[in-house]
């Protein structure tokens, strides 16, 4: 399990045609990775691909926490 916190700048990010990144794309990006660093990279990559060269309209903040389980 992971805890993913984000600002509205992530889901409100727009592509060159004005379409929002949205929750569905965010969920897909999160689901495509296994660890916290991978989730952050996946979301960042998906955002860049979505926005292409469109300037951001807002700041985008992302925090990913994942508890490491210890084997006993």
């Amino acid at each position: 399990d992971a805890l993913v916190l984000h600002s509205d700048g992530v889901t409100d990010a727009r592509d060159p045609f004005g379409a929002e990144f949205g929750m569905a794309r965010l969920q897909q990006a999160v689901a495509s990775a296994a660890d916290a660093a991978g989730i952050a990279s996946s979301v960042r990559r998906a955002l860049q691909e979505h926005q292409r060269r469109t300037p951001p309209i807002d700041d985008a903040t992302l925090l990913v926490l994942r508890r490491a389980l210890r084997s006993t």
Side-chain angles (χ1 to χ4, degrees):
D1 293 338
L3 174 65
V4 179
L5 304 173
H6 64 88
S7 66
D8 64 344
V10 173
T11 52
D12 292 349
R14 306 214 180 242
D15 70 8
F17 304 103
E20 289 185 349
F21 185 70
M23 283 299 297
R25 284 188 184 92
L26 177 59
Q27 290 170 337
Q28 289 173 346
V30 168
S32 71
D35 63 2
I39 291 170
S41 293
S42 177
V43 171
R44 185 174 45 249
R45 186 173 37 257
L47 268 173
Q48 289 172 341
E49 289 172 6
H50 179 74
Q51 289 179 301
R52 297 178 201 144
R53 297 194 184 269
T54 304
I57 58 171
D58 196 0
D59 63 291
T61 303
L62 180 71
L63 174 66
V64 181
L65 301 173
R66 187 167 187 118
R67 188 175 93 184
L69 298 176
R70 294 183 190 179
S71 58
T72 55

